[in-house]
Structure formats: C-alpha cells, structure tokens
Amino acid sequence: MVPDLEPGPGQVRIAVKAAGVHVIETVMRSGATGGIMPPLPELPTIFGGEVAGRVDAVGPDVDPSRLGRDVVISGGRPGGYAELAVADVTALHPLPEGMDHVTAAAMIVTGATTIHFLDVAALTAADAVLDGVGGDKGRAAFELPADGGRYVTIGNASRQDFWPSDEELSARGLTATSALELLHEHPDRRPGHQARALAAAADGTLVPAVQTFPLEQAAQAHAALESRRTTGKVVLIP
C-alpha cells in the first residue's frame, strides 16, 4: 500500500480503469539497460505509462470542469499499475464517444505506434516487411520482401541487432528504415499519432486485439508476455 496521490499544479488525478503493459517494462524489470531502453527508475517504483480512466481530482490551477471526464494518457510519469495515477493536463486525450477504457489503453501507445509504422511502411502493391525481433529472425525477415520492397524495423525483442548492408540493399533495390529511430527523432509527432489512433479505433478502422489481466495479476501478465503466451495488447484492470 502507498498513500493516495494528490495532483499538483497543472496536474489531474485519474481513477485508473485500464493500464497498458509494454514489453519494455518487462525488460526494465529485469534490470536491462542500453540501446533504446529508457533509464532504470529508482526503486521502489510503479510501472505503467499507458493509462485510461476518469479524472477524480484536479490540481489547484486546473479547470474543475475536468472532473469526471474519461481520459487516456501515455508517456510522462509512470504509475498506471495502480488504482490512482497522476498526470499532466497537457498529456490528456479525451476518450472518443462510446470508447471503453480498455480499448483506449490499448490504442494510446501500441495503436499510435501502429499508425506510425504504417506511415513509414507506405504500404502499396510493392512488398514491405515489419521486423520487431532483430538478430537471426531479422535477417530471415529481410529475405522475405520482393526486389524493390521495404524493410522496416520496429524494435529488437531478441535484443540482438540486425541491419542490412548498403550492398545488400542496392543489390535488390530495397529500402531500410528504422521506424523507432524516426519516432524518437520526432517526438512532437506523437500526440498526432495518438489522436489518429484513437479516432481509428472509434470509427472501426482499427480494432485492437486485447488480452486483459486483473491488476493483482500483473506479475502473471509480465510472465505471459515474456513467454509469448499472450495475444494482442496486454491490459491490466484494477
């Protein structure tokens, strides 16, 4: 148990209804660092940067009309693996009409990242492959597209790097792009991707696959995700 959080200036407190689990959190829990990994937090800490819920308290300078609103956030401070979380007002996205909290939690990061990847891949009648594993699997994925296609990396879950040489790309007329590097280079684009992802789920253009776990089974959720026993986005329900 920890004391209830109180929102400070420019903040709101959210009664958490759903919290997304990201694979990076499972790697951070193991103590791994380097590469695209964020710095390890000081302990004790509460994971969870993808939060959907209802505003139940506002900071001293925040419009009280925000109370009771359904919102979703990503990034910023963690804390979603809890019943209450604090967030900056500037990070809030309103839930589209009729959207449930679980869908919102699934879309705010994973859905937004999908939107970004699809933009980068620029899918046409030419081939494109999205590689999120790297290493030997990345090499095998690189061999799949037809000449003139696109190879887009979206991470290296194996924690082993792979990147084709200029000679390999030139020989087959392929292009290679790191979608994650582009995302990190242009963080200003993330709010737009997030808004588009929520809109796409609201109108049915994108339908997320989701697997939920009760909050008290967060450890089991991590274990299932790490052992590839989950389907779709993993979301915790307080």
Side-chain angles (χ1 to χ4, degrees), residues 21-34 36-38 40 47 156-159 222 225-226:
V21 178
H22 198 287
V23 68
I24 286 181
E25 294 168 346
T26 71
V27 180
M28 291 176 68
R29 195 200 71 245
S30 73
T33 59
I36 63 171
M37 295 297 300
L40 295 178
F47 279 142
N156 62 339
S158 67
R159 299 178 62 193
H222 271 225
L225 182 57
E226 289 172 301

Side-chain angles (χ1 to χ4, degrees), residues 7 11 18 42 64 86-87 114 124 131 156 206 209 218:
Q11 296 179 335
E42 294 184 8
V86 167
T114 300
T124 66
D131 168 31
N156 62 339
L206 295 178

Side-chain angles (χ1 to χ4, degrees), residues 1 16-17 19 21 80-83 212-223 235-238:
M1 298 289 292
V16 180
K17 304 298 184 183
V21 178
Y81 292 17
E83 295 176 331
T212 62
F213 290 79
L215 175 60
E216 59 268 25
Q217 294 182 11
Q220 292 94 318
H222 271 225
V235 176
L236 302 177
I237 308 295

Side-chain angles (χ1 to χ4, degrees), residues 106-126:
M107 295 302 294
I108 193 63
V109 169
T110 301
T113 304
T114 300
I115 291 286
H116 170 64
F117 293 160
L118 292 174
D119 286 349
V120 173
L123 299 179
T124 66

